[in-house]
Amino acid sequence: MRQGWRWFGPKAPVTLDEVRQVGATDVVSSLHEVPIGAPWTREDVAARRDLVETTPPGRVPLRWSVVESIPIPDAVKRTGRAATAEIEAWIASLESVAEAGIPIVCYNFMPVVDWCRTELDFVTDTGATAMRFDFETFAAFELHILERDGAKAEYSRAEQERARARFEAMSEGEIADLVRNITSALPGSTTEPMTIPGFRDKLDQYRGIDAARLRRHLVEFLQAVTPAAEKLGVKLTLHPDDPPRPLFGLPRIASTAEDYAAIFDAVPSPANGMCFCTGSLGVREGNDLPAIARRFASRIHFAHLRATRREADPRTFHESAHLDGDVDMVAVLRELVDEDRRRDKGETIVFRSDHGHRMLDDLHKDVTPGYPATGRMRGLAELRGILHALGHPPETAAAH
Ligand code: DNO
């Protein structure tokens, strides 16, 4: 397996030398500055690749091996194959990526909001901070800030009362933070930042789109793009929903093993793959992660490894230390290692330690929410330890 590291580009607080220092060999990145839906040019992708892969004298090489993500515009999620211009632009981006020699692309199909948290700096019992999704606070947002049509019917009387009490206890500053956390598109999101009225408009545009229809649109999208991906030798990896359940009355369709099975059955192309994200899938109690990894092993080309812990109300969760969550990380890695051993060297699975606590020096610095260097490095070191113990240490030099 290969050790990836999400790098947010030349302006990111974490440098490429720091990526080398944590022991990663593979960079996971995107042209974050390109507006959603605009085609990526060959020149822009090649220039970013050269930045990553031009090795200063005396340094170990890095390879940009995963694009996370080429965003999928709303029009595709709302209308499927009818969004011809958007699909063509996406394929043009894919061609530029393939031309630059990058073999794996991650994407997701979450409507309106990508990953979602109510708190970015929840203080844990060590003083490090973590991201958290609090069900009650989320309900307070929907019912009292967004005032979403139809939201009330989705909460019991008791839940509505607790949400009201939660809202009434919030200071103006807390309300502003909550609005920002939910609407401003967290780092790496493939959805647009929104204002509250803009959010309501987007929800209106999705009226009538249920899970079956959203799934059909994903299938149409994959039917259109997988022939190109196959020809170009690129694996597409669908990231699961985070959290893996419907939000804001919108369907989410990559939350369970059954969801993925339906997508692979509908589009069996070998280019149709999975980004196995333990942090996202692990939030849902019914998801048996080692079993999912085993079932879809041959489709997994990229893995996000992190852990979450459900709280007293299991709909509330926070991001735990990488080996301290609800997921059995050793059992998951055993499955991924078994698969990796079956593969040719060029097809090895790239993983990254996903997210990390804000700790040590990062508590006093500006950090990218969810992506501080030290917490991620702790996670990567722990994961690497498991791989050594399983007798399948990760590769230590960039593959070229
Ligand atoms: C958050 C991430 C998301 C994810 C995209 C995949 O940390 O997991 O930004 O990368 O949704 O397309």
Side-chain angles (χ1 to χ4, degrees):
M1 292 173 64
R2 306 191 56 81
Q3 304 170 73
W5 185 268
R6 194 173 202 179
W7 180 66
F8 284 100
K11 297 206 185 101
V14 179
T15 65
L16 289 171
D17 261 352
E18 287 168 330
V19 177
R20 294 182 169 92
Q21 286 158 31
V22 303
T25 53
D26 291 51
V27 164
V28 175
S29 199
S30 178
L31 299 187
H32 293 287
E33 64 284 3
V34 178
I36 294 176
W40 295 7
T41 65
R42 287 177 156 67
E43 296 70 28
D44 285 352
V45 181
R48 186 62 53 85
R49 185 227 24 226
D50 290 347
L51 203 61
V52 172
E53 300 193 1
T54 306
T55 311
R59 295 284 195 271
V60 287
L62 293 170
R63 179 178 182 195
W64 183 8
S65 55
V66 183
V67 166
E68 179 180 358
S69 314
I70 307 179
I72 300 187
D74 262 326
V76 178
K77 296 173 198 163
R78 283 192 288 106
T79 66
R81 74 157 74 89
T84 46
E86 286 81 359
I87 293 177
E88 268 169 36
W90 205 88
I91 293 176
S93 300
L94 194 66
E95 285 166 352
S96 300
V97 164
E99 176 113 333
I102 303 163
I104 302 168
V105 168
C106 176
Y107 70 98
N108 73 79
F109 217 71
M110 289 177 253
V112 185
V113 226
D114 191 311
W115 58 304
C116 184
R117 301 288 184 271
T118 57
E119 283 158 84
L120 308 187
D121 271 309
F122 164 69
V123 183
T124 70
D125 56 8
T126 63
T129 72
M131 299 190 134
R132 182 165 182 262
F133 182 100
D134 178 64
F135 180 77
E136 223 155 69
T137 309
F138 182 81
F141 175 81
E142 283 218 280
L143 296 170
H144 299 288
I145 300 174
L146 183 60
E147 298 174 321
R148 175 170 74 78
D149 281 352
K152 240 176 156 175
E154 293 170 24
Y155 294 96
S156 69
R157 282 288 279 274
E159 285 166 353
Q160 289 177 34
E161 270 158 36
R162 284 199 297 272
R164 168 180 292 282
R166 174 82 188 99
F167 178 67
E168 282 169 358
M170 287 172 82
S171 68
E172 297 223 333
E174 283 173 323
I175 293 176
D177 283 351
L178 177 61
V179 170
R180 195 203 51 220
N181 297 346
I182 296 185
T183 63
S184 68
L186 291 172
S189 284
T190 56
T191 50
E192 315 269 6
M194 294 173 288
T195 59
I196 294 291
F199 200 150
R200 293 187 188 121
D201 282 351
K202 284 229 168 193
L203 292 177
D204 268 349
Q205 292 166 18
Y206 274 87
R207 231 171 258 283
I209 299 185
D210 59 6
R213 184 136 162 232
L214 187 66
R215 185 173 298 117
R216 193 168 80 229
H217 293 165
L218 171 58
V219 166
E220 289 175 4
F221 168 75
L222 286 169
Q223 284 165 341
V225 301
T226 49
E230 274 185 49
K231 203 158 8 123
L232 296 165
V234 176
K235 301 288 189 201
L236 308 179
T237 64
L238 172 61
H239 186 282
D241 304 322
D242 181 3
R245 55 179 181 245
L247 291 186
F248 306 109
L250 296 163
R252 287 190 156 198
I253 52 159
S255 298
T256 62
E258 278 50 54
D259 286 343
Y260 275 94
I263 294 159
F264 297 139
D265 285 349
V267 186
S269 160
N272 184 12
M274 175 178 197
C275 167
F276 191 79
C277 177
T278 51
S280 303
L281 292 168
V283 161
R284 196 163 166 137
E285 248 171 318
N287 282 345
D288 175 344
L289 269 61
I292 299 177
R294 193 174 326 125
R295 177 164 175 192
F296 301 118
S298 67
R299 301 263 177 195
I300 299 172
H301 306 289
F302 180 38
H304 285 181
L305 303 178
R306 71 178 161 86
T308 53
R309 193 171 268 289
R310 286 180 288 275
E311 300 186 14
D313 177 338
R315 295 168 299 186
T316 292
F317 64 89
H318 62 269
E319 301 194 3
S320 58
H322 288 70
L323 304 189
D324 190 30
D326 294 316
V327 56
D328 182 344
M329 195 64 88
V330 175
V332 165
L333 276 168
R334 218 175 249 130
E335 298 300 334
L336 297 182
V337 161
D338 282 351
E339 171 61 19
D340 205 61
R341 285 190 168 123
R342 289 191 282 269
R343 293 197 185 175
D344 294 339
K345 217 168 162 45
E347 310 248 292
T348 188
I349 297 169
V350 178
F351 72 97
R352 64 176 180 81
S353 68
D354 195 15
H355 301 185
H357 284 176
R358 186 169 175 188
M359 57 170 66
L360 308 185
D361 279 4
D362 283 332
L363 285 168
H364 319 290
K365 280 187 195 160
D366 263 351
V367 297
T368 310
Y371 288 88
T374 315
R376 284 194 285 160
M377 179 175 75
R378 173 181 161 173
L380 178 59
E382 292 176 343
L383 296 163
R384 191 189 292 140
I386 298 175
L387 290 172
H388 276 266
L390 292 175
H392 192 66
E395 287 164 43
T396 50
H400 270 285

PDB file of all heavy atoms in Angstrom, residues 6 68-69 106-108 110 114-115 186-190 239-240 242 277 280 304 306 352 354-355 371, ligand 1:
ATOM      1  N   ARG A   6      -3.108  14.354   2.016  1.00  0.00           N
ATOM      2  CA  ARG A   6      -3.867  15.393   1.315  1.00  0.00           C
ATOM      3  C   ARG A   6      -3.136  16.723   1.447  1.00  0.00           C
ATOM      4  O   ARG A   6      -2.856  17.192   2.547  1.00  0.00           O
ATOM      5  CB  ARG A   6      -5.272  15.520   1.891  1.00  0.00           C
ATOM      6  CG  ARG A   6      -6.158  16.333   0.978  1.00  0.00           C
ATOM      7  CD  ARG A   6      -7.587  16.346   1.437  1.00  0.00           C
ATOM      8  NE  ARG A   6      -8.466  16.663   0.325  1.00  0.00           N
ATOM      9  CZ  ARG A   6      -9.783  16.723   0.421  1.00  0.00           C
ATOM     10  NH1 ARG A   6     -10.374  16.464   1.561  1.00  0.00           N
ATOM     11  NH2 ARG A   6     -10.517  17.013  -0.623  1.00  0.00           N
ATOM     12  N   GLU A  68      -8.207  14.311  -5.619  1.00  0.00           N
ATOM     13  CA  GLU A  68      -9.379  14.373  -4.739  1.00  0.00           C
ATOM     14  C   GLU A  68      -9.737  15.833  -4.612  1.00  0.00           C
ATOM     15  O   GLU A  68      -9.009  16.565  -3.953  1.00  0.00           O
ATOM     16  CB  GLU A  68      -9.074  13.793  -3.366  1.00  0.00           C
ATOM     17  CG  GLU A  68     -10.278  13.888  -2.456  1.00  0.00           C
ATOM     18  CD  GLU A  68     -10.059  13.322  -1.063  1.00  0.00           C
ATOM     19  OE1 GLU A  68      -8.970  12.798  -0.779  1.00  0.00           O
ATOM     20  OE2 GLU A  68     -10.990  13.419  -0.266  1.00  0.00           O
ATOM     21  N   SER A  69     -10.770  16.220  -5.281  1.00  0.00           N
ATOM     22  CA  SER A  69     -11.725  15.536  -6.157  1.00  0.00           C
ATOM     23  C   SER A  69     -11.833  16.350  -7.445  1.00  0.00           C
ATOM     24  O   SER A  69     -11.448  17.507  -7.474  1.00  0.00           O
ATOM     25  CB  SER A  69     -13.120  15.535  -5.509  1.00  0.00           C
ATOM     26  OG  SER A  69     -13.076  15.160  -4.146  1.00  0.00           O
ATOM     27  N   CYS A 106     -10.922  10.729  -7.151  1.00  0.00           N
ATOM     28  CA  CYS A 106     -11.966  10.586  -6.140  1.00  0.00           C
ATOM     29  C   CYS A 106     -13.063  11.607  -6.429  1.00  0.00           C
ATOM     30  O   CYS A 106     -12.774  12.708  -6.913  1.00  0.00           O
ATOM     31  CB  CYS A 106     -11.319  10.846  -4.780  1.00  0.00           C
ATOM     32  SG  CYS A 106     -12.429  10.832  -3.373  1.00  0.00           S
ATOM     33  N   TYR A 107     -14.290  11.247  -6.164  1.00  0.00           N
ATOM     34  CA  TYR A 107     -15.403  12.188  -6.335  1.00  0.00           C
ATOM     35  C   TYR A 107     -16.505  11.760  -5.383  1.00  0.00           C
ATOM     36  O   TYR A 107     -16.424  10.691  -4.761  1.00  0.00           O
ATOM     37  CB  TYR A 107     -15.914  12.166  -7.804  1.00  0.00           C
ATOM     38  CG  TYR A 107     -16.625  10.876  -8.144  1.00  0.00           C
ATOM     39  CD1 TYR A 107     -18.027  10.796  -8.100  1.00  0.00           C
ATOM     40  CD2 TYR A 107     -15.916   9.713  -8.428  1.00  0.00           C
ATOM     41  CE1 TYR A 107     -18.682   9.606  -8.370  1.00  0.00           C
ATOM     42  CE2 TYR A 107     -16.571   8.516  -8.685  1.00  0.00           C
ATOM     43  CZ  TYR A 107     -17.948   8.464  -8.659  1.00  0.00           C
ATOM     44  OH  TYR A 107     -18.587   7.278  -8.888  1.00  0.00           O
ATOM     45  N   ASN A 108     -17.508  12.585  -5.242  1.00  0.00           N
ATOM     46  CA  ASN A 108     -18.652  12.165  -4.428  1.00  0.00           C
ATOM     47  C   ASN A 108     -19.922  12.654  -5.097  1.00  0.00           C
ATOM     48  O   ASN A 108     -19.871  13.439  -6.051  1.00  0.00           O
ATOM     49  CB  ASN A 108     -18.536  12.723  -3.003  1.00  0.00           C
ATOM     50  CG  ASN A 108     -18.808  14.210  -2.952  1.00  0.00           C
ATOM     51  OD1 ASN A 108     -19.955  14.648  -2.966  1.00  0.00           O
ATOM     52  ND2 ASN A 108     -17.747  15.009  -2.956  1.00  0.00           N
ATOM     53  N   MET A 110     -22.781  13.850  -3.202  1.00  0.00           N
ATOM     54  CA  MET A 110     -23.644  14.405  -2.140  1.00  0.00           C
ATOM     55  C   MET A 110     -24.275  15.702  -2.658  1.00  0.00           C
ATOM     56  O   MET A 110     -23.559  16.578  -3.122  1.00  0.00           O
ATOM     57  CB  MET A 110     -22.814  14.728  -0.898  1.00  0.00           C
ATOM     58  CG  MET A 110     -22.325  13.510  -0.152  1.00  0.00           C
ATOM     59  SD  MET A 110     -21.280  13.982   1.257  1.00  0.00           S
ATOM     60  CE  MET A 110     -19.650  13.522   0.676  1.00  0.00           C
ATOM     61  N   ASP A 114     -21.418  18.917   1.021  1.00  0.00           N
ATOM     62  CA  ASP A 114     -20.464  17.800   1.097  1.00  0.00           C
ATOM     63  C   ASP A 114     -20.388  17.405   2.584  1.00  0.00           C
ATOM     64  O   ASP A 114     -21.417  17.359   3.261  1.00  0.00           O
ATOM     65  CB  ASP A 114     -19.134  18.325   0.514  1.00  0.00           C
ATOM     66  CG  ASP A 114     -18.081  17.264   0.241  1.00  0.00           C
ATOM     67  OD1 ASP A 114     -17.833  16.455   1.131  1.00  0.00           O
ATOM     68  OD2 ASP A 114     -17.458  17.280  -0.836  1.00  0.00           O
ATOM     69  N   TRP A 115     -19.214  17.165   3.122  1.00  0.00           N
ATOM     70  CA  TRP A 115     -19.145  16.712   4.515  1.00  0.00           C
ATOM     71  C   TRP A 115     -19.672  17.800   5.440  1.00  0.00           C
ATOM     72  O   TRP A 115     -19.548  18.987   5.138  1.00  0.00           O
ATOM     73  CB  TRP A 115     -17.765  16.209   4.881  1.00  0.00           C
ATOM     74  CG  TRP A 115     -16.590  17.134   4.728  1.00  0.00           C
ATOM     75  CD1 TRP A 115     -16.186  17.789   3.606  1.00  0.00           C
ATOM     76  CD2 TRP A 115     -15.635  17.474   5.739  1.00  0.00           C
ATOM     77  NE1 TRP A 115     -15.040  18.501   3.849  1.00  0.00           N
ATOM     78  CE2 TRP A 115     -14.679  18.321   5.155  1.00  0.00           C
ATOM     79  CE3 TRP A 115     -15.471  17.119   7.086  1.00  0.00           C
ATOM     80  CZ2 TRP A 115     -13.582  18.836   5.853  1.00  0.00           C
ATOM     81  CZ3 TRP A 115     -14.394  17.629   7.785  1.00  0.00           C
ATOM     82  CH2 TRP A 115     -13.462  18.470   7.170  1.00  0.00           C
ATOM     83  N   LEU A 186     -16.705  23.063   3.932  1.00  0.00           N
ATOM     84  CA  LEU A 186     -15.478  22.712   4.661  1.00  0.00           C
ATOM     85  C   LEU A 186     -14.356  22.400   3.667  1.00  0.00           C
ATOM     86  O   LEU A 186     -14.616  22.137   2.493  1.00  0.00           O
ATOM     87  CB  LEU A 186     -15.769  21.500   5.570  1.00  0.00           C
ATOM     88  CG  LEU A 186     -16.704  21.819   6.747  1.00  0.00           C
ATOM     89  CD1 LEU A 186     -17.099  20.542   7.479  1.00  0.00           C
ATOM     90  CD2 LEU A 186     -16.049  22.804   7.713  1.00  0.00           C
ATOM     91  N   PRO A 187     -13.096  22.421   4.122  1.00  0.00           N
ATOM     92  CA  PRO A 187     -11.973  22.229   3.188  1.00  0.00           C
ATOM     93  C   PRO A 187     -12.128  20.991   2.298  1.00  0.00           C
ATOM     94  O   PRO A 187     -12.482  19.917   2.786  1.00  0.00           O
ATOM     95  CB  PRO A 187     -10.776  22.076   4.122  1.00  0.00           C
ATOM     96  CG  PRO A 187     -11.163  22.850   5.342  1.00  0.00           C
ATOM     97  CD  PRO A 187     -12.635  22.676   5.489  1.00  0.00           C
ATOM     98  N   GLY A 188     -11.858  21.192   1.036  1.00  0.00           N
ATOM     99  CA  GLY A 188     -11.923  20.068   0.101  1.00  0.00           C
ATOM    100  C   GLY A 188     -13.324  19.764  -0.376  1.00  0.00           C
ATOM    101  O   GLY A 188     -13.526  18.869  -1.191  1.00  0.00           O
ATOM    102  N   SER A 189     -14.308  20.513   0.116  1.00  0.00           N
ATOM    103  CA  SER A 189     -15.689  20.238  -0.297  1.00  0.00           C
ATOM    104  C   SER A 189     -15.855  20.473  -1.791  1.00  0.00           C
ATOM    105  O   SER A 189     -15.198  21.338  -2.375  1.00  0.00           O
ATOM    106  CB  SER A 189     -16.663  21.160   0.443  1.00  0.00           C
ATOM    107  OG  SER A 189     -16.826  20.722   1.754  1.00  0.00           O
ATOM    108  N   THR A 190     -16.771  19.738  -2.349  1.00  0.00           N
ATOM    109  CA  THR A 190     -17.021  19.849  -3.787  1.00  0.00           C
ATOM    110  C   THR A 190     -18.352  20.551  -4.032  1.00  0.00           C
ATOM    111  O   THR A 190     -18.966  20.407  -5.073  1.00  0.00           O
ATOM    112  CB  THR A 190     -17.052  18.453  -4.411  1.00  0.00           C
ATOM    113  OG1 THR A 190     -18.042  17.712  -3.699  1.00  0.00           O
ATOM    114  CG2 THR A 190     -15.722  17.769  -4.298  1.00  0.00           C
ATOM    115  N   HIS A 239     -16.514   8.464  -3.172  1.00  0.00           N
ATOM    116  CA  HIS A 239     -16.392   8.668  -1.718  1.00  0.00           C
ATOM    117  C   HIS A 239     -17.770   8.525  -1.073  1.00  0.00           C
ATOM    118  O   HIS A 239     -18.753   9.034  -1.612  1.00  0.00           O
ATOM    119  CB  HIS A 239     -15.836  10.074  -1.475  1.00  0.00           C
ATOM    120  CG  HIS A 239     -15.532  10.371  -0.050  1.00  0.00           C
ATOM    121  ND1 HIS A 239     -16.496  10.684   0.879  1.00  0.00           N
ATOM    122  CD2 HIS A 239     -14.356  10.382   0.619  1.00  0.00           C
ATOM    123  CE1 HIS A 239     -15.920  10.889   2.053  1.00  0.00           C
ATOM    124  NE2 HIS A 239     -14.624  10.707   1.928  1.00  0.00           N
ATOM    125  N   PRO A 240     -17.852   7.869   0.081  1.00  0.00           N
ATOM    126  CA  PRO A 240     -19.168   7.740   0.722  1.00  0.00           C
ATOM    127  C   PRO A 240     -19.694   9.069   1.279  1.00  0.00           C
ATOM    128  O   PRO A 240     -18.943  10.026   1.467  1.00  0.00           O
ATOM    129  CB  PRO A 240     -18.927   6.742   1.865  1.00  0.00           C
ATOM    130  CG  PRO A 240     -17.470   6.578   2.001  1.00  0.00           C
ATOM    131  CD  PRO A 240     -16.800   7.154   0.795  1.00  0.00           C
ATOM    132  N   ASP A 242     -20.998  11.706   3.950  1.00  0.00           N
ATOM    133  CA  ASP A 242     -20.470  12.010   5.286  1.00  0.00           C
ATOM    134  C   ASP A 242     -21.308  13.103   5.914  1.00  0.00           C
ATOM    135  O   ASP A 242     -21.192  14.256   5.501  1.00  0.00           O
ATOM    136  CB  ASP A 242     -18.999  12.440   5.148  1.00  0.00           C
ATOM    137  CG  ASP A 242     -18.377  12.745   6.493  1.00  0.00           C
ATOM    138  OD1 ASP A 242     -19.058  12.567   7.515  1.00  0.00           O
ATOM    139  OD2 ASP A 242     -17.214  13.171   6.524  1.00  0.00           O
ATOM    140  N   CYS A 277     -13.851   5.018   2.840  1.00  0.00           N
ATOM    141  CA  CYS A 277     -13.633   5.995   3.921  1.00  0.00           C
ATOM    142  C   CYS A 277     -14.213   5.454   5.215  1.00  0.00           C
ATOM    143  O   CYS A 277     -15.435   5.430   5.407  1.00  0.00           O
ATOM    144  CB  CYS A 277     -14.261   7.336   3.558  1.00  0.00           C
ATOM    145  SG  CYS A 277     -14.089   8.548   4.891  1.00  0.00           S
ATOM    146  N   SER A 280     -16.344   8.036   7.268  1.00  0.00           N
ATOM    147  CA  SER A 280     -17.715   8.315   6.829  1.00  0.00           C
ATOM    148  C   SER A 280     -18.608   7.096   7.059  1.00  0.00           C
ATOM    149  O   SER A 280     -19.637   7.186   7.735  1.00  0.00           O
ATOM    150  CB  SER A 280     -17.735   8.686   5.342  1.00  0.00           C
ATOM    151  OG  SER A 280     -16.897   9.781   5.101  1.00  0.00           O
ATOM    152  N   HIS A 304      -9.550   6.315   2.822  1.00  0.00           N
ATOM    153  CA  HIS A 304      -9.429   7.367   3.844  1.00  0.00           C
ATOM    154  C   HIS A 304      -9.540   6.652   5.178  1.00  0.00           C
ATOM    155  O   HIS A 304     -10.582   6.056   5.459  1.00  0.00           O
ATOM    156  CB  HIS A 304     -10.620   8.329   3.770  1.00  0.00           C
ATOM    157  CG  HIS A 304     -10.581   9.286   2.623  1.00  0.00           C
ATOM    158  ND1 HIS A 304     -11.563  10.221   2.421  1.00  0.00           N
ATOM    159  CD2 HIS A 304      -9.666   9.472   1.651  1.00  0.00           C
ATOM    160  CE1 HIS A 304     -11.258  10.942   1.347  1.00  0.00           C
ATOM    161  NE2 HIS A 304     -10.128  10.503   0.864  1.00  0.00           N
ATOM    162  N   ARG A 306      -9.694   6.953   9.109  1.00  0.00           N
ATOM    163  CA  ARG A 306      -9.862   7.712  10.345  1.00  0.00           C
ATOM    164  C   ARG A 306     -11.032   7.102  11.092  1.00  0.00           C
ATOM    165  O   ARG A 306     -11.706   6.209  10.557  1.00  0.00           O
ATOM    166  CB  ARG A 306     -10.101   9.204  10.071  1.00  0.00           C
ATOM    167  CG  ARG A 306     -11.436   9.520   9.482  1.00  0.00           C
ATOM    168  CD  ARG A 306     -11.617  11.028   9.277  1.00  0.00           C
ATOM    169  NE  ARG A 306     -12.674  11.278   8.320  1.00  0.00           N
ATOM    170  CZ  ARG A 306     -13.962  11.354   8.612  1.00  0.00           C
ATOM    171  NH1 ARG A 306     -14.368  11.206   9.867  1.00  0.00           N
ATOM    172  NH2 ARG A 306     -14.861  11.563   7.672  1.00  0.00           N
ATOM    173  N   ARG A 352      -4.739   7.404   2.851  1.00  0.00           N
ATOM    174  CA  ARG A 352      -4.217   8.547   3.606  1.00  0.00           C
ATOM    175  C   ARG A 352      -4.829   8.533   4.986  1.00  0.00           C
ATOM    176  O   ARG A 352      -5.951   8.053   5.177  1.00  0.00           O
ATOM    177  CB  ARG A 352      -4.437   9.861   2.863  1.00  0.00           C
ATOM    178  CG  ARG A 352      -5.876  10.282   2.626  1.00  0.00           C
ATOM    179  CD  ARG A 352      -5.901  11.653   1.957  1.00  0.00           C
ATOM    180  NE  ARG A 352      -7.238  12.149   1.697  1.00  0.00           N
ATOM    181  CZ  ARG A 352      -8.023  12.736   2.599  1.00  0.00           C
ATOM    182  NH1 ARG A 352      -7.632  12.854   3.847  1.00  0.00           N
ATOM    183  NH2 ARG A 352      -9.225  13.168   2.257  1.00  0.00           N
ATOM    184  N   ASP A 354      -6.822  10.162   7.355  1.00  0.00           N
ATOM    185  CA  ASP A 354      -7.785  11.224   7.086  1.00  0.00           C
ATOM    186  C   ASP A 354      -8.003  12.021   8.372  1.00  0.00           C
ATOM    187  O   ASP A 354      -8.068  11.444   9.462  1.00  0.00           O
ATOM    188  CB  ASP A 354      -9.091  10.588   6.613  1.00  0.00           C
ATOM    189  CG  ASP A 354     -10.035  11.577   5.965  1.00  0.00           C
ATOM    190  OD1 ASP A 354      -9.592  12.688   5.618  1.00  0.00           O
ATOM    191  OD2 ASP A 354     -11.210  11.237   5.800  1.00  0.00           O
ATOM    192  N   HIS A 355      -8.132  13.292   8.235  1.00  0.00           N
ATOM    193  CA  HIS A 355      -8.358  14.211   9.354  1.00  0.00           C
ATOM    194  C   HIS A 355      -7.376  13.924  10.494  1.00  0.00           C
ATOM    195  O   HIS A 355      -6.523  13.052  10.399  1.00  0.00           O
ATOM    196  CB  HIS A 355      -9.801  14.136   9.871  1.00  0.00           C
ATOM    197  CG  HIS A 355     -10.811  14.458   8.815  1.00  0.00           C
ATOM    198  ND1 HIS A 355     -12.151  14.544   9.053  1.00  0.00           N
ATOM    199  CD2 HIS A 355     -10.667  14.728   7.481  1.00  0.00           C
ATOM    200  CE1 HIS A 355     -12.794  14.848   7.937  1.00  0.00           C
ATOM    201  NE2 HIS A 355     -11.912  14.948   6.969  1.00  0.00           N
ATOM    202  N   TYR A 371      -7.592  19.193   8.954  1.00  0.00           N
ATOM    203  CA  TYR A 371      -6.352  18.761   8.310  1.00  0.00           C
ATOM    204  C   TYR A 371      -5.072  19.343   8.931  1.00  0.00           C
ATOM    205  O   TYR A 371      -4.151  19.735   8.220  1.00  0.00           O
ATOM    206  CB  TYR A 371      -6.400  19.099   6.813  1.00  0.00           C
ATOM    207  CG  TYR A 371      -7.366  18.196   6.079  1.00  0.00           C
ATOM    208  CD1 TYR A 371      -8.708  18.520   5.962  1.00  0.00           C
ATOM    209  CD2 TYR A 371      -6.934  16.984   5.545  1.00  0.00           C
ATOM    210  CE1 TYR A 371      -9.604  17.675   5.322  1.00  0.00           C
ATOM    211  CE2 TYR A 371      -7.814  16.140   4.892  1.00  0.00           C
ATOM    212  CZ  TYR A 371      -9.144  16.490   4.790  1.00  0.00           C
ATOM    213  OH  TYR A 371     -10.017  15.643   4.159  1.00  0.00           O
TER     214      TYR A 371
HETATM  215  C1  DNO B   1     -13.398  15.619   3.934  1.00  0.00           C
HETATM  216  C2  DNO B   1     -13.415  14.827   2.755  1.00  0.00           C
HETATM  217  C3  DNO B   1     -14.248  15.359   1.610  1.00  0.00           C
HETATM  218  C4  DNO B   1     -14.065  14.419   0.450  1.00  0.00           C
HETATM  219  C5  DNO B   1     -14.838  14.695  -0.764  1.00  0.00           C
HETATM  220  C6  DNO B   1     -14.604  13.572  -1.748  1.00  0.00           C
HETATM  221  O1  DNO B   1     -12.507  15.608   4.684  1.00  0.00           O
HETATM  222  O2  DNO B   1     -13.514  13.493   2.995  1.00  0.00           O
HETATM  223  O3  DNO B   1     -13.735  16.622   1.247  1.00  0.00           O
HETATM  224  O4  DNO B   1     -12.764  14.518   0.058  1.00  0.00           O
HETATM  225  O5  DNO B   1     -16.133  14.763  -0.440  1.00  0.00           O
HETATM  226  O6  DNO B   1     -15.090  13.910  -2.988  1.00  0.00           O
END
